Amino acid sequence: MAKLYFNYSVMNAGKSAHLLLVRHNYIENGDKVLLFTSVKDDRSGVGKVASRIGISAEAVAVSPEDDIFDIAQEMNAETPVTAVLVDEVQFMTPEQVYQMSEIVDSLGLPCLAWGLKNNFQGQLFSPAVETILALADEINLIKTVCHCGKRATMILKYNPDGSIVRNGEVVETGGESRYVSVCRAHWKEGNIGPRARKAVFDAGYGTRVVCQSCETVFPSIYGDPEQAGDCAAKLEGDKISGYFGSTIADACEFHFVRGVPEDAKQGVICDACIRGHLQEGRLLRVSSWFDNDPPRDRVPVSTDVDILEEVAKSVEERA
Ligand SMILES: [Zn+2]
Ligand SMILES: [Zn+2]
C-alpha cells in the first residue's frame, strides 16, 4: 500500500545522500521516479538535488504556486511512475504537502519526502513541516551524531566569531557552513563543539589558550581560556592538574619530583610540555579521578553474544 513518508533530519546528516540512494535503488530496478525540490534551494543550482559526497540528480523545482499533484499526475500519465520523491519539504507550502498526500491517496503512488523538522530556534521549521507531521503515514529520523557522540536532534546557528545566533531569519539557504547539528543539551548550552570551534579559530576568531611554558597558541574548545585540545592542564605550585582537552593530564594530577624546572611556567601548560617533563623523569602521577572507579564488568564472549551490541550498550550506560 502506498504511503506518505517523512524522512527528517538535522543539517549535514546526509539527507540528500539518503534521498539519492533511494532514487538510485528505484532506477536500478528499472522504475521511473519523480523528483521534486524547492526553488528556494539554490545551493547547487535550481532544480538539482546534490549531496556533499558528490552525487546529484536533476529535479523539478517547484514554486509556492505550483501544484505538485497536478505535475505528478501529468507526468505519470506520460510514463507510469513508481514513486514520487520530494526534497526540502520544509520549503513547500502546507497546500503542497496536502497535494503530496493526494499523490498517495488518489494516484496510489508512494510519496517520500525529506526535510528538516526543526529550525535553529528549536521550533518546527515551517507550516509545511507541521502539515507533514500531521499527514505522514511514516516518520523516520535520519540519524547523525553530536560532537559529544549523542544523537544530534537540534541545529545550532553561529556567527563567524563563534557566537550563537538564537533569533532572526529562519529560511536561509547557502549558509550551511555556519550551522552545526548537536544534541539537545549542547543546543541549550550553545556548544558548537571542538571541530567547529577550530574552524572559527582558523578564521581568526574565537578564544585562544596559550601555553605559558612554550607560548604555543591553541584554539579553545569551550570558549574557556584555559581549555583547548592538547592544552588543558595547569601548573600551580609544583602540581599539574588537567581536565578534558588534555590527552595526558585529563582528570589526573602530576607533581614535579625534584622541584619545578625553570622552563615550566605557572599557569596553563600544554601536552607537549607535560610530555617533555615526563620523558625527563621530572613528573610523577599522584592521583587520578578514575583510580577509584569500580572495575568494568567483563562480558563473556560466546557465540550468542553480539559484541557490537554489547559495546554499544556499555557506551550508552556510561554516557
Ligand atoms: Zn552533544
Ligand atoms: Zn607548551
Side-chain angles (χ1 to χ4, degrees):
M1 201 193 71
K3 284 179 181 175
L4 175 61
Y5 299 85
F6 179 34
N7 301 311
Y8 72 94
S9 75
V10 284
M11 282 173 110
N12 302 321
K15 178 169 64 64
S16 298
H18 188 261
L19 181 158
L20 291 167
L21 183 68
V22 169
R23 176 182 172 273
H24 176 79
N25 289 341
Y26 271 115
I27 291 170
E28 281 273 276
N29 217 22
D31 294 327
K32 186 188 170 191
V33 293
L34 296 184
L35 176 54
F36 291 99
T37 189
S38 165
V39 285
K40 286 183 192 164
D41 178 32
D42 54 5
R43 282 167 302 169
S44 34
V46 174
K48 197 166 180 189
V49 173
S51 158
R52 283 165 304 130
I53 60 170
I55 45 173
S56 64
E58 297 300 319
V60 178
V62 296
S63 308
E65 57 277 6
D66 287 331
D67 188 318
I68 296 184
F69 176 80
D70 282 352
I71 301 172
Q73 190 176 34
E74 214 168 280
M75 292 175 93
N76 184 48
E78 279 170 30
T79 330
V81 165
T82 311
V84 176
L85 315 184
V86 182
D87 198 15
E88 309 293 354
V89 71
Q90 76 277 2
F91 291 144
M92 303 293 170
T93 64
E95 291 73 24
Q96 285 170 330
V97 173
Y98 186 85
Q99 290 153 14
M100 286 157 53
S101 77
E102 274 295 287
I103 291 174
V104 177
D105 298 335
S106 298
L107 301 181
L109 296 175
C111 183
L112 298 85
W114 281 262
L116 302 174
K117 179 166 73 71
N118 297 343
N119 59 32
F120 67 88
Q121 301 180 3
Q123 287 148 357
L124 292 181
F125 197 99
S126 61
V129 171
E130 283 176 35
T131 310
I132 197 158
L133 283 171
L135 296 185
D137 299 295
E138 273 193 36
I139 296 166
N140 307 303
L141 167 67
I142 300 168
K143 297 178 183 79
T144 191
V145 289
C146 174
H147 51 77
C148 69
K150 282 197 190 127
R151 183 164 297 171
T153 55
M154 308 298 284
I155 298 167
L156 265 180
K157 184 179 181 183
Y158 60 100
N159 290 314
D161 66 357
S163 59
I164 303 300
V165 182
R166 294 289 188 189
N167 301 300
E169 192 63 36
V170 168
V171 182
E172 176 202 351
T173 52
E176 235 164 317
S177 57
R178 283 202 280 108
Y179 289 94
V180 62
S181 295
V182 293
C183 70
R184 192 176 55 228
H186 282 138
W187 176 77
K188 287 179 186 168
E189 203 182 290
N191 188 332
I192 60 175
R195 214 177 56 167
R197 221 171 265 288
K198 172 75 166 54
V200 165
F201 174 82
D202 289 343
Y205 301 97
T207 316
R208 290 154 153 64
V209 180
V210 183
C211 171
Q212 297 303 305
S213 296
C214 67
E215 291 181 355
T216 307
V217 180
F218 295 82
S220 165
I221 295 177
Y222 291 124
D224 180 335
E226 294 181 349
Q227 200 174 3
D230 299 322
C231 186
K234 227 170 151 181
L235 171 60
E236 283 170 310
D238 68 347
K239 281 202 174 64
I240 291 174
S241 50
Y243 43 115
F244 181 71
S246 167
T247 312
I248 298 179
D250 181 15
C252 65
E253 202 169 276
F254 296 92
H255 87 127
F256 281 106
V257 277
R258 286 182 297 274
V260 182
E262 235 173 51
D263 56 345
K265 303 282 189 290
Q266 295 291 308
V268 173
I269 184 164
C270 74
D271 281 359
C273 287
I274 300 173
R275 201 173 286 123
H277 294 307
L278 279 168
Q279 274 160 3
E280 296 293 322
R282 294 164 172 168
L283 283 175
L284 187 75
R285 200 175 87 156
V286 288
S287 70
S288 163
W289 303 340
F290 298 134
D291 287 347
N292 298 325
D293 281 0
R296 307 278 181 218
D297 289 336
R298 301 246 164 93
V299 180
V301 177
S302 71
T303 45
D304 42 56
V305 172
D306 184 334
I307 297 178
L308 279 179
E309 213 169 77
E310 290 301 332
V311 170
K313 235 190 276 167
S314 79
V315 168
E316 231 166 64
E317 271 164 23
R318 258 174 259 174

